[in-house]
Amino acid sequence: MADNQKVKMVFEFDRKDYDNVCFLLGVDSKDQEDIEKTWEAMASENVVLRSDSFSSLGLKPHEMLAMFVSFAITSVEDKVKSK
């Protein structure tokens, strides 16, 4: 097993999901220009999450890493069990 291997996770959401989250978060509709610019920036290229991406939410890097590793394990669980 190579130590330098990495797992790439893909999570997709559409514009309706984005708009719904903005609404739930109480993003002011007066900021429509910023809402559009943010969507365009996210949709134009892959968004890379760093281990410190969620520190503003109070999550420590190792907590975020544990969540994503758990998501990945759960996502392949059926595939592994069927072999």
Side-chain angles (χ1 to χ4, degrees):
M1 174 174 34
D3 286 341
N4 61 352
Q5 286 182 317
K6 294 189 179 202
V7 173
K8 180 187 262 188
M9 296 177 62
V10 177
F11 178 82
E12 294 180 339
F13 58 92
D14 62 21
R15 178 58 193 252
K16 184 178 177 183
D17 297 324
Y18 173 67
D19 289 338
N20 289 339
V21 169
C22 286
F23 174 77
L24 290 172
L25 293 175
V27 175
D28 194 340
S29 59
K30 294 177 196 170
D31 297 329
Q32 194 61 37
E33 186 176 339
D34 287 341
I35 291 170
E36 290 300 320
K37 286 179 180 179
T38 300
W39 173 256
E40 289 302 321
M42 290 188 302
S44 67
E45 60 187 62
N46 290 334
V47 176
V48 178
L49 299 176
R50 297 178 322 273
S51 60
D52 61 351
S53 295
F54 295 99
S55 61
S56 64
L57 300 175
L59 286 173
K60 297 176 181 145
H62 68 275
E63 293 170 331
M64 189 196 86
L65 181 60
M67 285 191 318
F68 280 102
V69 171
S70 298
F71 295 151
I73 291 168
T74 303
S75 296
V76 299
E77 194 170 33
D78 290 340
K79 185 183 209 180
V80 171
K81 287 182 179 179
S82 68
K83 288 186 178 186

